[in-house]
Amino acid sequence: MPSPEVSPPPLKRRRISDPKMHHPSPPSLPSISAHDLPSTSTDDSLHIYSWNINGINPFLPPSTPPITNFLKPTSAPNTLPNPAPPGPSLRANLKRWKWPHILCLQEVKIAPTDTQTQASVRRAVNAPLDSADDNDGDRHLYDAHFGLPRDKHNATGFGGKVYGVCTLVRRDVPEPTTRTVGWDLEGRVLLVEIPGWSVMVANVYAVNGTTNDYRDPATGKVVGDRHDRKRIFHSLLRDEVRRYEDRGWDVVVPILPAY
């Protein structure tokens, strides 16, 4: 019968190898400079950015001017003017990222009936930043495409302002088409097809697995929890990708998890 006593751990880590044994040093890795990295300015590359924006409204101009615009200044003449509103705009980020071909935004939190905010996004991504903002034709102009929640049983919080994806496509991308998928009504998947390049880019805001109920989108009946839905979601996305790959297309899925 083993002793019931439990010995404390040793004060020093026990040596498990012979100190006289020779251990060859790993080969040194070659140093890499910035010049060895692929350039982000080549015309034959497709540049895609993905950003969980967690609500798009802070990056849009206000729909109405703030009330302070109508107040007369009372400060002394040498007082500095009011600072610009914090936070870069969508277009400022596009410029900072050197005008990517595609920008995938997740969790935009736009209700499907809110056409005003959708129109505001379309204006904001093309509004000149200042007088020196060079549009350079279609290379600096974008079309905004939305995949917003339509599930009346699983995406009803905050007046429908939950989930949702938006894909910005630069206008010089040749003949892109976008589509949602019938198996997603929560506004989590939007596909961009570029037939001329045989490329599909999937903007995906994946399901977060929890023990909360998942209801059938048509009947509202509980058919499992969010863990179950997450597994089904991934299987359906896999099948969607395979259909494109079977046609010889390249597929990009800049996927981010839901929180």
Short mmCIF file of all heavy atoms in Angstrom, two decimals, residues 15 17 20 27 36 52 61 81 85 90 111 128 133 138 148 167 178-179 184 188 196 204 249:
data_model
loop_
_atom_site.label_atom_id
_atom_site.label_comp_id
_atom_site.label_asym_id
_atom_site.label_seq_id
_atom_site.Cartn_x
_atom_site.Cartn_y
_atom_site.Cartn_z
N ARG A 15 18.07 17.75 -12.69
CA ARG A 15 18.68 17.69 -14.01
C ARG A 15 18.29 16.39 -14.69
O ARG A 15 18.39 15.31 -14.10
CB ARG A 15 20.21 17.80 -13.90
CG ARG A 15 20.90 17.92 -15.26
CD ARG A 15 22.41 17.91 -15.08
NE ARG A 15 22.87 19.02 -14.27
CZ ARG A 15 23.10 20.24 -14.75
NH1 ARG A 15 22.91 20.48 -16.02
NH2 ARG A 15 23.53 21.19 -13.96
N SER A 17 19.34 15.60 -17.93
CA SER A 17 20.27 15.24 -18.99
C SER A 17 21.68 15.29 -18.45
O SER A 17 21.97 15.97 -17.46
CB SER A 17 20.12 16.19 -20.18
OG SER A 17 20.40 17.51 -19.79
N LYS A 20 27.55 16.44 -19.53
CA LYS A 20 28.69 16.22 -20.41
C LYS A 20 28.24 15.93 -21.85
O LYS A 20 29.05 15.90 -22.77
CB LYS A 20 29.53 15.05 -19.91
CG LYS A 20 30.14 15.30 -18.54
CD LYS A 20 30.95 14.10 -18.08
CE LYS A 20 31.54 14.32 -16.69
NZ LYS A 20 32.33 13.16 -16.23
N PRO A 27 20.74 25.96 -35.80
CA PRO A 27 21.32 26.82 -36.85
C PRO A 27 20.77 28.23 -36.74
O PRO A 27 19.61 28.44 -36.41
CB PRO A 27 20.87 26.14 -38.15
CG PRO A 27 19.65 25.36 -37.77
CD PRO A 27 19.88 24.91 -36.36
N ASP A 36 13.55 42.86 -47.71
CA ASP A 36 13.30 41.49 -48.11
C ASP A 36 11.82 41.13 -48.08
O ASP A 36 11.42 40.10 -48.60
CB ASP A 36 14.05 40.51 -47.20
CG ASP A 36 15.56 40.73 -47.26
OD1 ASP A 36 16.05 40.96 -48.38
OD2 ASP A 36 16.21 40.69 -46.21
N ASN A 52 -12.62 44.07 -37.22
CA ASN A 52 -13.83 44.02 -36.38
C ASN A 52 -14.01 45.41 -35.80
O ASN A 52 -13.39 45.79 -34.82
CB ASN A 52 -13.67 42.98 -35.27
CG ASN A 52 -14.94 42.82 -34.46
OD1 ASN A 52 -15.66 43.78 -34.19
ND2 ASN A 52 -15.24 41.59 -34.07
N PRO A 61 -19.42 60.63 -39.96
CA PRO A 61 -19.73 62.00 -39.55
C PRO A 61 -21.13 62.05 -38.94
O PRO A 61 -22.00 61.25 -39.31
CB PRO A 61 -19.67 62.79 -40.87
CG PRO A 61 -19.91 61.77 -41.93
CD PRO A 61 -19.33 60.49 -41.43
N PRO A 81 -8.59 77.04 -30.97
CA PRO A 81 -9.91 76.58 -31.41
C PRO A 81 -10.21 75.18 -30.89
O PRO A 81 -9.30 74.45 -30.46
CB PRO A 81 -9.80 76.60 -32.93
CG PRO A 81 -8.34 76.46 -33.22
CD PRO A 81 -7.64 77.18 -32.08
N PRO A 85 -12.82 66.28 -33.87
CA PRO A 85 -13.36 65.13 -33.15
C PRO A 85 -12.38 63.97 -33.17
O PRO A 85 -11.66 63.76 -34.15
CB PRO A 85 -14.63 64.80 -33.94
CG PRO A 85 -14.48 65.47 -35.25
CD PRO A 85 -13.62 66.67 -35.01
N LEU A 90 -13.33 56.42 -41.63
CA LEU A 90 -13.10 55.24 -42.48
C LEU A 90 -12.13 55.57 -43.60
O LEU A 90 -11.21 54.80 -43.89
CB LEU A 90 -14.43 54.76 -43.06
CG LEU A 90 -15.34 53.96 -42.14
CD1 LEU A 90 -16.67 53.70 -42.82
CD2 LEU A 90 -14.68 52.65 -41.74
N ALA A 111 -28.96 48.21 -38.44
CA ALA A 111 -30.23 47.53 -38.68
C ALA A 111 -30.50 47.46 -40.17
O ALA A 111 -30.17 48.40 -40.91
CB ALA A 111 -31.36 48.26 -37.96
N PRO A 128 -13.60 63.36 -49.60
CA PRO A 128 -12.20 63.80 -49.51
C PRO A 128 -11.84 64.21 -48.10
O PRO A 128 -12.63 64.84 -47.39
CB PRO A 128 -12.15 65.00 -50.47
CG PRO A 128 -13.30 64.80 -51.40
CD PRO A 128 -14.37 64.12 -50.60
N ASP A 133 -6.49 65.77 -50.75
CA ASP A 133 -6.83 64.37 -50.91
C ASP A 133 -7.04 64.06 -52.39
O ASP A 133 -8.03 64.47 -52.99
CB ASP A 133 -8.10 64.04 -50.12
CG ASP A 133 -8.43 62.56 -50.13
OD1 ASP A 133 -7.61 61.78 -50.62
OD2 ASP A 133 -9.50 62.19 -49.62
N ASP A 138 -10.66 55.76 -59.87
CA ASP A 138 -11.29 54.68 -59.14
C ASP A 138 -10.37 54.00 -58.13
O ASP A 138 -10.83 53.23 -57.29
CB ASP A 138 -11.82 53.62 -60.12
CG ASP A 138 -13.05 54.11 -60.86
OD1 ASP A 138 -13.62 55.14 -60.44
OD2 ASP A 138 -13.43 53.49 -61.86
N LEU A 148 -26.57 42.26 -43.61
CA LEU A 148 -27.14 42.69 -42.33
C LEU A 148 -28.14 41.65 -41.82
O LEU A 148 -28.70 40.86 -42.59
CB LEU A 148 -27.81 44.06 -42.50
CG LEU A 148 -26.87 45.17 -43.01
CD1 LEU A 148 -27.63 46.47 -43.20
CD2 LEU A 148 -25.69 45.37 -42.06
N THR A 167 -18.52 45.09 -46.66
CA THR A 167 -17.30 44.92 -47.45
C THR A 167 -17.14 46.11 -48.38
O THR A 167 -18.04 46.43 -49.15
CB THR A 167 -17.35 43.62 -48.27
OG1 THR A 167 -17.56 42.52 -47.40
CG2 THR A 167 -16.05 43.41 -49.02
N THR A 178 -21.35 40.65 -55.28
CA THR A 178 -21.45 40.24 -53.88
C THR A 178 -22.74 39.47 -53.68
O THR A 178 -23.74 39.71 -54.37
CB THR A 178 -21.41 41.45 -52.93
OG1 THR A 178 -22.53 42.30 -53.22
CG2 THR A 178 -20.12 42.23 -53.08
N ARG A 179 -22.72 38.57 -52.72
CA ARG A 179 -23.93 37.83 -52.39
C ARG A 179 -23.88 37.34 -50.95
O ARG A 179 -22.80 37.10 -50.39
CB ARG A 179 -24.14 36.64 -53.34
CG ARG A 179 -23.18 35.47 -53.15
CD ARG A 179 -23.53 34.33 -54.09
NE ARG A 179 -22.70 33.14 -53.88
CZ ARG A 179 -23.02 32.14 -53.07
NH1 ARG A 179 -24.15 32.20 -52.37
NH2 ARG A 179 -22.24 31.09 -52.94
N ASP A 184 -27.34 31.73 -43.72
CA ASP A 184 -27.00 32.73 -42.71
C ASP A 184 -27.98 33.89 -42.81
O ASP A 184 -28.01 34.59 -43.81
CB ASP A 184 -25.58 33.25 -42.90
CG ASP A 184 -25.33 34.52 -42.08
OD1 ASP A 184 -25.52 34.47 -40.85
OD2 ASP A 184 -24.98 35.55 -42.68
N ARG A 188 -23.81 37.57 -41.00
CA ARG A 188 -22.45 37.16 -40.64
C ARG A 188 -21.58 36.83 -41.85
O ARG A 188 -20.37 36.69 -41.70
CB ARG A 188 -22.50 35.94 -39.71
CG ARG A 188 -23.13 36.23 -38.35
CD ARG A 188 -23.11 35.00 -37.47
NE ARG A 188 -23.58 35.28 -36.13
CZ ARG A 188 -22.84 35.76 -35.14
NH1 ARG A 188 -21.56 36.03 -35.36
NH2 ARG A 188 -23.34 35.96 -33.94
N GLY A 196 -13.07 37.58 -62.99
CA GLY A 196 -11.91 37.77 -63.85
C GLY A 196 -10.62 37.26 -63.25
O GLY A 196 -9.68 36.91 -63.97
N VAL A 204 -16.49 37.28 -43.03
CA VAL A 204 -17.17 36.39 -42.09
C VAL A 204 -17.04 36.92 -40.66
O VAL A 204 -15.93 37.25 -40.22
CB VAL A 204 -16.59 34.96 -42.17
CG1 VAL A 204 -17.26 34.06 -41.12
CG2 VAL A 204 -16.78 34.38 -43.55
N TRP A 249 -11.22 28.14 -58.17
CA TRP A 249 -11.07 29.49 -57.64
C TRP A 249 -10.16 29.48 -56.42
O TRP A 249 -10.06 28.48 -55.70
CB TRP A 249 -12.42 30.07 -57.25
CG TRP A 249 -13.29 30.49 -58.40
CD1 TRP A 249 -13.50 29.81 -59.55
CD2 TRP A 249 -14.07 31.68 -58.49
NE1 TRP A 249 -14.37 30.49 -60.37
CE2 TRP A 249 -14.73 31.65 -59.73
CE3 TRP A 249 -14.29 32.76 -57.64
CZ2 TRP A 249 -15.59 32.66 -60.15
CZ3 TRP A 249 -15.14 33.77 -58.06
CH2 TRP A 249 -15.78 33.72 -59.30
#
